[in-house]
Amino acid sequence: MMSNPAIISDRARHLLRVLVERYISEGQPVSSRALARDMGFDLSPATVRNVMADLEDMGLICAPHTSAGRIPTTQGYRFFVDSLLTMQPLASGEVQRLRSELDPDKAIGDLMETASNVLSEVSKLASLVLLPRRFQPVLRQVEFLPLSENRVLVILVTNEREVQNRIVHTARQYSPSELQQAANYLNSLCAGQDLHKVRETLLKEMQETRERMNDMMRLAIEMADKAFAMPEPTPDYVVKGQAHLLSRAETDSVEKLRQLFEVFNEKRDILHLLNQCLHAKGVQIFIGAESGYDALEDYSLITAPYEARGQVAGVLGVVGPTRMGYERMIPLVDITAKLLGAALTQR
Amino acid sequence: MMSNPAIISDRARHLLRVLVERYISEGQPVSSRALARDMGFDLSPATVRNVMADLEDMGLICAPHTSAGRIPTTQGYRFFVDSLLTMQPLASGEVQRLRSELDPDKAIGDLMETASNVLSEVSKLASLVLLPRRFQPVLRQVEFLPLSENRVLVILVTNEREVQNRIVHTARQYSPSELQQAANYLNSLCAGQDLHKVRETLLKEMQETRERMNDMMRLAIEMADKAFAMPEPTPDYVVKGQAHLLSRAETDSVEKLRQLFEVFNEKRDILHLLNQCLHAKGVQIFIGAESGYDALEDYSLITAPYEARGQVAGVLGVVGPTRMGYERMIPLVDITAKLLGAALTQR
DNA sequence: TCTGGCGCTCGCCTCCTGAGAGTGCTAAAA
DNA sequence: TTTTAGCACTCTCAGGAGGCGAGCGCCAGA
């Protein structure tokens, strides 16, 4: 048992392929008879049964009960995906739709939302889009705006078009011109610097010029210290089309589904999983519990990282039952990632 | 049949109340025997049956089949909620939690997200939070930042702390100082104005000073025209805790549930519904299909608008099965709305 | 190496039954 | 007039029996 799948015969490969395809489309255990009919070769069910027995020994398929047909195991799907799958190109209409919806001029949040929506609609599965990480955010400009009482709105413009804003409580109330000066000072000192290193720069500056430091500089440093001390917004993701999972759920597995939904809400696990995929080169596939999360048993996850300006920016993908149409989903995820990347780069 | 529920006897009212409470907690048709036991009065099941027959005539309860107990109809729930319900104050720990999570210093998006999360966790239901509408957004400040090529990042600071940013394509590339001048011009001209009226102001200005208009002003007007022409971001909402609905779902109603999830995704219907609730004075309750949406049959929606600085800013609420614990949920939604409003006002 | 045949094992559908729950109705009691 | 007890009736649900058909494993023969 569990012989090496590498030494599997061509006929067995073909048989496995047809079996998996049929199980994916029908959702029911596949019998030797049906298989014999579906395969091109002219083989009797009995022969097919023999081959099936071999495949079962290898752990690629199994029978849910004594006298049912066979269904693929996780390893079966894995082998199918790795070695047997012939991808199906997307319908040109679908590509068209993806391309037109992923409009580079959309706001970044909208773009992610759109990507997730269109991905789930085309795939008829649930979709995930990890919001892009900011790479070594570089400070371009700082603005201070006085609010009511002792609060100041700090606007940080980073890199190309990211705008972050934070509210800082100050010791006393400052006038607009004081704030303006402080901002100018900071801009001249720190513009172009890595956001994380701004504080270091400021500390150094402070020590070097301790004597001739004036109020304005003190203010600038106080403000910056508080503003930059705030945590970066944690990365986040968008989930769409969970309803699709409900319609495809086997009626008995509601509990499994509930757990899955809970994982979607929890964020922590999903983020961990998606982060793993960030550094994969291309499309990555987790079948069943391969991802290491029990809640994903019976479900598969297909992901692909997307790049912006040559740097990995995030991950997107779809989640669906293990018996989903991989030959469509894999290209879909792949292309969506590429188009999203293009949209981000082109902005 | 369908006599006027107003002329219902005290005993019948009490009986209905106990019946609804029991059905909500048990989830199964309530028999005359159980009811006779649960009611304080010393009545025999037979008597209870007579009263139940009356209630059934009035359309307040019904029997799912000949020889089952009774369950409340939509009208029954309605009567219960309107006239029989005694609210249960929240546990002080829950109030504490709400108060501490709804921290005024959080970013506005985070605040909504948090509100939705905590609402769904405390209620164990799905929660909705409509993102606040901006009221007559008033322009405080404009900043222009040159991007690569002919693009300019426009940062609009409105009212107290809203920051919007948009990307504008310009006819030619402008230098930072040109942009700075244009921004100054716009700030002096339009600061403090209603965002929607800025364009009018500019047009008027343009006509009045057509002759002595210089390049800088032309630029300012070009930029502003493009920036302010962009659509306001459409209102949006947050849904959390859908998983709770799954765990409470009767196993057979998966299809209903799927439709509900689809409505959540669609946005259109939900937004329409929530917008209706914006102008209600306090907590509003839709039982079953009262909302007018089929997908909400078997589900109830409890909403309350929340205010910021005395103006209605948005709506929040929970969605759960009709047989939810109204006496807890109504105060919960009410208080959450108040606390969220307080957090928004205090900012 | 493949094939046909045979016996066997299950799962599933249907029918039936009995138990249990709960009602409606009626007639008697309060 | 209101309440109660009793009884017959209805309906659901769980369990068991039986029949059917799908599908397998194995074996012997081509």
Side-chain angles (χ1 to χ4, degrees):
Chain A
M1 90 129 83
M2 275 292 185
S3 350
N4 184 353
I7 56 164
I8 187 173
S9 80
D10 274 1
R11 192 172 63 179
R13 293 164 65 97
H14 183 233
L15 193 143
L16 178 62
R17 174 213 224 106
V18 176
L19 185 146
V20 176
E21 281 168 0
R22 198 182 156 101
Y23 179 66
I24 284 175
S25 72
E26 307 283 324
Q28 290 192 339
V30 184
S31 73
S32 56
R33 191 204 187 83
L35 214 44
R37 223 184 309 111
D38 278 18
M39 300 211 325
F41 310 140
D42 221 16
L43 282 182
S44 80
T47 314
V48 170
R49 282 202 285 279
N50 287 329
V51 184
M52 281 164 104
D54 294 346
L55 289 175
E56 187 159 10
D57 283 349
M58 294 184 223
L60 297 175
I61 59 178
C62 66
H65 60 88
T66 347
S67 147
R70 301 306 213 294
I71 63 177
T73 61
T74 297
Q75 291 89 341
Y77 280 118
R78 171 55 55 198
F79 187 75
F80 173 76
V81 166
D82 287 347
S83 332
L84 304 177
L85 199 56
T86 49
M87 300 298 175
Q88 210 178 70
L90 294 193
S92 69
E94 291 174 336
V95 181
Q96 209 49 50
R97 167 151 187 220
L98 285 170
R99 201 185 299 276
S100 71
E101 298 240 26
L102 295 175
D103 172 6
D105 280 338
K106 281 186 176 162
I108 192 137
D110 278 359
L111 203 52
M112 301 299 122
E113 188 113 336
T114 310
S116 195
N117 262 328
V118 70
L119 194 52
S120 83
E121 273 173 35
V122 175
S123 68
K124 304 281 179 210
L125 299 176
S127 72
L128 294 167
V129 179
L130 186 70
L131 296 185
R133 310 192 293 166
R134 292 171 244 298
F135 276 98
Q136 310 146 352
V138 170
L139 185 65
R140 264 180 86 105
Q141 188 163 340
V142 179
E143 292 288 330
F144 295 141
L145 242 98
L147 297 178
S148 52
E149 290 154 42
N150 296 352
R151 298 177 185 190
V152 176
L153 178 62
V154 182
I155 304 177
L156 304 177
V157 183
T158 63
N159 289 14
E160 288 290 285
R161 61 230 335 183
E162 294 277 355
V163 179
Q164 298 181 27
N165 51 315
R166 302 166 184 193
I167 290 166
V168 166
H169 297 242
T170 55
R172 70 166 175 88
Q173 196 152 10
Y174 293 100
S175 73
S177 69
E178 280 176 305
L179 291 172
Q180 183 68 51
Q181 277 187 49
N184 288 342
Y185 170 64
L186 274 181
N187 280 327
S188 65
L189 191 65
C190 305
Q193 284 209 13
D194 186 317
L195 209 56
H196 299 117
K197 300 212 177 110
V198 169
R199 289 184 77 196
E200 292 174 26
T201 309
L202 285 174
L203 281 177
K204 207 190 290 171
E205 175 76 7
M206 204 165 74
Q207 291 184 333
E208 285 176 4
T209 62
R210 188 184 301 269
E211 301 80 38
R212 47 194 184 76
M213 193 153 76
N214 57 25
D215 272 2
M216 183 274 291
M217 288 159 68
R218 241 182 267 281
L219 165 60
I221 286 171
E222 178 198 347
M223 300 284 303
D225 193 49
K226 285 187 175 157
F228 292 103
M230 290 203 173
E232 287 281 296
T234 52
D236 212 340
Y237 60 87
V238 183
V239 193
K240 293 280 169 179
Q242 289 136 306
H244 291 304
L245 296 182
L246 271 177
S247 55
R248 307 192 47 160
E250 332 289 337
T251 38
D252 56 334
S253 62
V254 190
E255 176 52 24
K256 264 271 148 57
L257 207 56
R258 200 190 59 76
Q259 286 178 21
L260 187 61
F261 274 68
E262 215 145 72
V263 173
F264 283 154
N265 261 27
E266 267 306 320
K267 304 218 164 190
R268 209 165 22 85
D269 291 343
I270 292 286
L271 280 174
H272 184 243
L273 191 51
L274 290 182
N275 272 323
Q276 287 177 9
C277 308
L278 259 179
H279 304 294
K281 261 216 293 291
V283 176
Q284 202 161 26
I285 302 168
F286 297 95
I287 293 162
E290 284 181 355
S291 60
Y293 293 95
D294 285 356
L296 280 170
E297 214 187 325
D298 302 338
Y299 293 92
S300 286
L301 170 66
I302 302 181
T303 67
Y306 56 87
E307 303 189 343
R309 292 164 222 276
Q311 281 193 302
V312 177
V315 181
L316 56 73
V318 296
V319 178
T322 22
R323 47 172 285 266
M324 68 166 111
Y326 295 92
E327 75 285 355
R328 275 192 66 231
M329 295 310 147
I330 295 173
L332 173 63
V333 169
D334 193 29
I335 290 185
T336 309
K338 294 211 171 86
L339 289 178
L340 178 57
L344 286 173
T345 303
Q346 207 188 314
R347 280 160 61 94
Chain B
M1 98 133 66
M2 275 292 184
S3 351
N4 184 352
I7 57 162
I8 188 174
S9 77
D10 275 2
R11 191 172 66 179
R13 293 163 65 96
H14 183 233
L15 194 145
L16 178 61
R17 176 213 223 103
V18 176
L19 185 147
V20 175
E21 280 168 0
R22 197 183 157 102
Y23 180 66
I24 284 175
S25 73
E26 307 284 323
Q28 290 193 338
V30 184
S31 74
S32 56
R33 191 207 188 80
L35 214 42
R37 223 185 309 111
D38 278 17
M39 299 211 322
F41 310 138
D42 221 18
L43 281 182
S44 79
T47 312
V48 170
R49 280 202 288 278
N50 288 330
V51 183
M52 283 165 102
D54 294 347
L55 290 173
E56 186 159 12
D57 282 350
M58 295 186 227
L60 297 175
I61 59 177
C62 66
H65 61 87
T66 351
S67 147
R70 302 304 211 297
I71 63 176
T73 61
T74 298
Q75 291 90 337
Y77 280 118
R78 171 53 58 195
F79 187 76
F80 173 76
V81 166
D82 287 347
S83 330
L84 304 177
L85 198 56
T86 49
M87 301 296 175
Q88 210 178 73
L90 294 193
S92 69
E94 290 173 337
V95 181
Q96 209 49 50
R97 168 151 185 222
L98 286 170
R99 201 184 298 276
S100 71
E101 297 240 25
L102 295 176
D103 172 6
D105 281 338
K106 281 185 176 163
I108 192 137
D110 278 359
L111 203 52
M112 301 300 121
E113 189 114 337
T114 311
S116 196
N117 261 329
V118 69
L119 194 52
S120 85
E121 274 174 34
V122 174
S123 69
K124 305 280 180 210
L125 299 175
S127 72
L128 295 167
V129 178
L130 186 70
L131 297 185
R133 311 190 290 166
R134 292 172 247 296
F135 275 97
Q136 309 144 351
V138 170
L139 186 65
R140 264 181 85 105
Q141 188 163 340
V142 179
E143 293 288 329
F144 295 141
L145 244 100
L147 297 177
S148 52
E149 290 155 44
N150 296 353
R151 297 177 184 189
V152 176
L153 178 62
V154 181
I155 304 176
L156 303 178
V157 183
T158 64
N159 289 14
E160 289 290 282
R161 62 234 330 181
E162 293 277 354
V163 180
Q164 297 180 27
N165 51 315
R166 303 164 183 194
I167 291 165
V168 166
H169 298 242
T170 55
R172 71 167 175 87
Q173 196 152 8
Y174 293 100
S175 74
S177 69
E178 280 175 303
L179 290 172
Q180 182 68 50
Q181 276 186 51
N184 288 342
Y185 170 64
L186 274 181
N187 280 327
S188 65
L189 191 64
C190 305
Q193 285 209 13
D194 186 317
L195 209 55
H196 300 116
K197 300 210 178 112
V198 168
R199 290 183 76 197
E200 294 174 27
T201 308
L202 286 174
L203 281 177
K204 208 191 292 173
E205 174 77 7
M206 205 165 75
Q207 291 185 333
E208 285 175 4
T209 61
R210 188 185 300 270
E211 302 80 40
R212 47 195 183 76
M213 195 154 77
N214 57 25
D215 272 3
M216 184 272 291
M217 287 159 68
R218 243 181 266 283
L219 164 60
I221 286 172
E222 179 197 346
M223 300 285 302
D225 193 52
K226 285 186 174 156
F228 292 104
M230 290 202 172
E232 287 280 296
T234 54
D236 212 339
Y237 61 87
V238 183
V239 193
K240 294 281 170 177
Q242 289 135 307
H244 290 304
L245 295 182
L246 270 177
S247 54
R248 306 193 46 163
E250 333 288 336
T251 37
D252 57 334
S253 62
V254 190
E255 176 53 23
K256 264 273 147 58
L257 207 57
R258 201 190 58 75
Q259 287 177 21
L260 187 61
F261 274 68
E262 216 146 73
V263 173
F264 283 155
N265 261 27
E266 269 304 321
K267 304 219 167 192
R268 210 164 22 84
D269 290 342
I270 291 287
L271 281 175
H272 183 245
L273 193 51
L274 290 182
N275 272 322
Q276 288 177 11
C277 306
L278 258 180
H279 304 294
K281 262 215 294 291
V283 175
Q284 201 160 27
I285 303 168
F286 297 94
I287 294 163
E290 284 181 352
S291 61
Y293 292 96
D294 285 356
L296 281 170
E297 214 188 323
D298 303 337
Y299 293 92
S300 287
L301 171 65
I302 303 181
T303 68
Y306 56 87
E307 303 189 343
R309 290 167 226 275
Q311 282 193 302
V312 178
V315 180
L316 55 74
V318 296
V319 177
T322 24
R323 48 172 285 267
M324 65 166 108
Y326 296 92
E327 74 286 355
R328 272 192 66 232
M329 294 311 147
I330 295 174
L332 173 63
V333 169
D334 193 30
I335 290 186
T336 309
K338 294 211 170 86
L339 289 177
L340 178 57
L344 287 173
T345 303
Q346 206 187 317
R347 282 162 60 95

